[in-house]
Amino acid sequence: MSAPNQSGWKPGSPVKDHNAMSGPDTVTGNRALMLEEPLIFEIGTTETTGVDLPEPSRGANRLGGLDRSEEIGLPGLSEPETVRHYTRLSRQNYAIDLGLFPLGSCTMKHNPRLNEKVARMPGFADVHPLQPVDTVKGGLEVINELANWLIDLTGMHGVAMSPKAGAHGELCGILCIRAALEARGDAREVILVPESAHGTNPATAAFAGYKIEDIPANSDGRVDLDALKSRLGPDVAGVMITNPSTLGLFERDLKAISDAVHEAGGFVYCDGANFNAIVGKVRPGDLGVDAMHINLHKTFSTPHGGGGPGSGPVVLSEALAPYGPLPYVVRGKDGAVHLVEEENADEFEHTKAFGRMTAFHGQMGMFTRALTYILSHGADGLRQVAEDAVLNANYILRSLDDVLDAPFGHSGPCMHEALFSDKGFAEDISTLDLAKALIDEGCHPMTMYFPLVVHGAMLVEPTETESKAALDQFIMALRSVAERARAGDESLKTAPHYAPRRRLDETLAARKPILAWEEPNPPGGEPTMSEQGGR
């Protein structure tokens, strides 16, 4: 019989989870081959190790007084126990390699394995930011080649490669705008943001010191051009607009918007998070855009999520390119690619840079993956990426608009994502209920409650990755759950029923989250919050 470990848990005992209801009502919590998995601290004890080691001979202490005075506090597990623990945890995660990831506005597309193979090649995988520049000429060539592709695809004049994420790129673009205005002695203080823009847009502008004013949408969900024009004036530094927008719509009046903003002395920042819908089809620079970040994970298939490694290059118009941050790469008169830093900025005539965004140049692994993706597709392949992504989104929109309300379905074809609302659901059924029930159908839920301008929003972005068969499977599952939501099926309110965990008490989990393991009965210590009933 297995003895309980230090935490009181022993194999075969139910595991307490204070943030969520338990799984199936069984003795162990197991679901067939999906085994209940406790925390690693609950499996092993701090008094044992996974291997037997001989007592070491005592030599002279060379730690200089830095030797540990307390127990290390890690559970001692054998290698099989450790491997099984993390493998079981991995099976409880969802990934694009398992199925469709329909998160709207996220562009969760397949990451081709060719990209990974190239990124792991010697000379790319082992490059170090502190090694001498003359030893990374191949890496600089890759960065320069990718930069040229991004400039060509967007119709812009220059690009800052160092920003490490979309929001980081937004900040870079806004700082370029501020630098350009300051260079001409123009102290403007307002940024206009349409109500359909990404939420990071107003946050970025505010972080950069600007005041934010909203611009309403018209009945089609697009920016109200007349309202925008009426607000322009000498205090407006620019507009931050997302195109295609978070409503899944292309802003048809973007060129007119840009012309009006430029005439008023401002600049146009375009959020490029949804570039996947128009890559190879539309060049933002032709529409008057002055700055736009590009999420490499969204459009060019580098890894997404987990807090990084992100990459958000920012393409710049001719008016803003001189103010782009250091460092950057440029092909010199000698034909070689050079890394331009503060010490050689004069030589390459880049003295107006507003500063720098990062310590080094950017994410080499992401640059390598993105360039591989671009070269493997070619210009015609990238165009097809956009076409297929838009086709897939419209297929979902029109296949479901008879059972799900599509608030802007009347505005014409959508772009990269299909937007639905909870209109038509039974009174006590919510978007959250539908999303949780989708888990029981084997589907990852879509983005919920975003954009905020639509009540009970459900945003679905299938990307070009998915086949018709995969889309049909998702549509069938979503249709089934939507019909139950309209009929008022009470079982939706307790879904999911077949997942390793049941529904969270989201209010309690948000207000009193358990973010770290606590020893249940520390020797001589106070009772934990869990034991006090505080969680």
Side-chain angles (χ1 to χ4, degrees), residues 160-173 200-201 204 269 271-273 292-298 302-315 357-358 361-363 366-367:
M161 298 294 289
S162 58
K164 293 190 176 180
H168 203 213
E170 287 179 26
L171 180 61
C172 174
T200 50
N201 292 175
T204 295
Y269 186 93
D271 187 311
M292 184 180 85
H293 79 266
I294 302 172
N295 304 77
L296 293 188
H297 60 269
K298 292 188 175 188
T302 66
H304 188 171
S311 187
V314 180
V315 287
M357 297 295 295
T358 62
H361 192 76
Q363 300 284 20
M366 301 304 105
F367 296 155

Side-chain angles (χ1 to χ4, degrees), residues 201-473:
N201 292 175
T204 295
F207 184 79
Y210 287 104
K211 298 176 182 178
I212 312 303
E213 293 188 21
D214 293 335
I215 299 297
N218 58 28
S219 60
D220 284 343
R222 296 179 171 88
V223 175
D224 188 321
L225 180 58
D226 292 335
L228 184 141
K229 286 183 175 179
S230 66
R231 178 56 189 87
L232 292 173
D235 63 333
V236 175
V239 60
M240 294 186 79
I241 187 169
T242 304
N243 193 30
S245 72
T246 54
L247 304 182
L249 301 174
F250 187 80
E251 294 290 351
R252 299 168 179 164
D253 294 328
L254 184 53
K255 184 63 169 66
I257 291 172
S258 298
D259 291 343
V261 172
H262 291 155
E263 185 176 350
F267 293 94
V268 178
Y269 186 93
C270 180
D271 187 311
N274 302 330
F275 189 52
N276 193 62
I278 60 174
V279 61
K281 302 287 290 186
V282 177
R283 302 197 312 170
D286 297 338
L287 302 179
V289 170
D290 292 295
M292 184 180 85
H293 79 266
I294 302 172
N295 304 77
L296 293 188
H297 60 269
K298 292 188 175 188
T299 303
F300 301 110
S301 79
T302 66
H304 188 171
S311 187
V314 180
V315 287
L316 301 166
S317 66
E318 188 173 4
L320 292 185
Y323 304 97
L326 296 171
Y328 82 105
V329 294
V330 63
R331 191 172 298 281
K333 296 178 181 179
D334 58 358
V337 176
H338 297 269
L339 185 64
V340 180
E341 297 272 15
E342 286 82 355
E343 58 268 20
N344 61 346
D346 289 343
E347 178 184 350
F348 294 97
E349 300 178 354
H350 194 74
T351 58
K352 297 180 181 180
F354 69 75
R356 58 195 302 135
M357 297 295 295
T358 62
F360 302 108
H361 192 76
Q363 300 284 20
M364 190 66 211
M366 301 304 105
F367 296 155
T368 310
R369 288 175 173 87
L371 182 58
T372 303
Y373 182 82
I374 290 173
L375 295 178
S376 63
H377 279 71
D380 56 339
L382 292 176
R383 189 179 303 112
Q384 186 177 347
V385 162
E387 293 171 347
D388 290 348
V390 171
L391 177 62
N392 283 355
N394 279 277
Y395 182 60
I396 285 181
L397 178 67
R398 298 310 172 191
S399 296
L400 292 166
D401 60 3
D402 61 324
V403 292
L404 286 173
D405 174 61
F408 297 103
H410 65 280
S411 301
C414 66
M415 296 300 291
H416 55 299
E417 55 197 359
L419 177 61
F420 303 102
S421 80
D422 63 354
K423 184 178 179 180
F425 287 8
E427 185 175 352
D428 60 344
I429 302 297
S430 69
T431 292
L432 180 65
D433 296 330
L434 178 143
K436 296 299 185 183
L438 267 179
I439 296 175
D440 282 339
E441 301 292 331
C443 298
H444 192 286
M446 70 291 284
T447 294
M448 304 177 297
Y449 301 114
F450 179 79
L452 300 178
V453 295
V454 173
H455 187 275
M458 292 169 279
L459 198 58
V460 182
E461 182 177 3
T463 79
E464 76 284 354
T465 295
E466 304 304 326
S467 66
K468 182 177 180 298
L471 296 182
D472 286 339
Q473 186 178 33

Side-chain angles (χ1 to χ4, degrees), residues 492-516:
L492 297 181
K493 298 170 68 174
T494 54
H497 302 106
Y498 304 115
R501 284 290 182 274
R502 301 289 291 278
R503 191 180 302 200
L504 292 169
D505 180 335
E506 298 200 0
T507 301
L508 189 61
R511 293 179 178 176
K512 295 181 178 180
I514 300 176
L515 302 178

Side-chain angles (χ1 to χ4, degrees), residues 6 34 51 55 68 97 102 158 187 309 323 348 426 434 452 469 496 531:
Q6 187 177 6
M34 183 64 75
V51 295
E55 186 68 24
R68 178 164 48 85
D97 289 346
Y323 304 97
F348 294 97
L434 178 143
L452 300 178
E531 293 172 318

Side-chain angles (χ1 to χ4, degrees), residues 30 48-49 61 66 76 81 110 114 131 137 198 263 271 286 299 326 337 342 346 358-359 367 369 378 482 486:
N30 294 341
T48 61
T49 65
N61 190 319
L66 298 178
E81 289 175 317
H110 174 65
L114 175 62
Q131 68 186 85
K137 292 182 178 179
H198 274 120
E263 185 176 350
D271 187 311
D286 297 338
T299 303
L326 296 171
V337 176
E342 286 82 355
D346 289 343
T358 62
F367 296 155
R369 288 175 173 87
R486 296 173 72 91

